[in-house]
Amino acid sequence: MTRLFYFLLISLCCACSSSTNSNQGTAPKPETISTDHSILGEENARKQLNDCLKGKGQPFTWDTLIKTPATAIAIAEPILFDVFGKEQILQEKPYEIYQMEGYWYIAGTLPKSYNKGGAFEIIFSAKDGRIIRLTHYK
């Protein structure tokens, strides 16, 4: 469960930066990073990750990190695209989206005349983005 949370957290970071990063969530190669910025490096990143996994450092203190439907969709879509395919998910627009009891529920929709399968469903925490359901009905 902890690994899933950290996977989601990393996905969240990639999703939030994808609109400004032309590499779509991939880190730039060290040699392509501008030399006018300080780079802490992978060793520091590994230390920070290990400290976090051991419970060291600043605790997560936000009561709700994902506050708007637009942010919820921006977090969910890259994950859905990766798992089920971008074309498939985009065909299921418009999405149903609801925030209930501290969770986001997002589901795809299908044309009323369509009778060959189902749509995706994702439910995740509005507080920290932890996914509690990710499925695609057939």
Side-chain angles (χ1 to χ4, degrees):
M1 187 61 104
T2 302
R3 287 183 181 163
L4 179 61
F5 173 73
Y6 288 110
F7 171 76
L8 176 62
L9 190 57
I10 290 167
S11 298
L12 170 67
C13 292
C14 292
C16 291
S17 68
S18 68
S19 63
T20 59
N21 184 353
S22 62
N23 292 331
Q24 294 296 336
T26 59
K29 302 261 188 263
E31 64 272 8
T32 65
I33 297 173
S34 174
T35 57
D36 61 343
H37 288 187
S38 299
I39 304 301
L40 299 177
E42 185 176 345
E43 185 176 328
N44 178 70
R46 193 170 304 281
K47 179 188 178 313
Q48 295 301 323
L49 173 62
N50 287 331
D51 287 351
C52 181
L53 293 173
K54 293 175 185 174
K56 297 179 183 176
Q58 293 182 323
F60 187 82
T61 58
W62 290 277
D63 62 339
T64 302
L65 182 62
I66 305 158
K67 297 178 182 178
T68 67
T71 302
I73 289 170
I75 290 166
E77 276 188 330
I79 296 166
L80 294 164
F81 293 168
D82 220 28
V83 174
F84 303 116
K86 185 174 184 176
E87 286 183 31
Q88 175 71 40
I89 298 305
L90 291 177
Q91 289 175 4
E92 297 175 16
K93 280 187 169 187
Y95 306 141
E96 285 189 71
I97 182 164
Y98 308 99
Q99 185 179 18
M100 303 174 284
E101 301 177 28
Y103 292 90
W104 284 101
Y105 171 92
I106 306 174
T109 62
L110 298 171
K112 290 180 180 180
S113 62
Y114 189 79
N115 62 1
K116 297 180 182 177
F120 77 85
E121 181 178 84
I122 185 169
I123 303 172
F124 57 94
S125 168
K127 177 179 180 171
D128 60 16
R130 185 180 340 179
I131 296 174
I132 62 171
R133 175 174 289 158
L134 175 61
T135 192
H136 197 289
Y137 296 102
K138 299 291 178 194

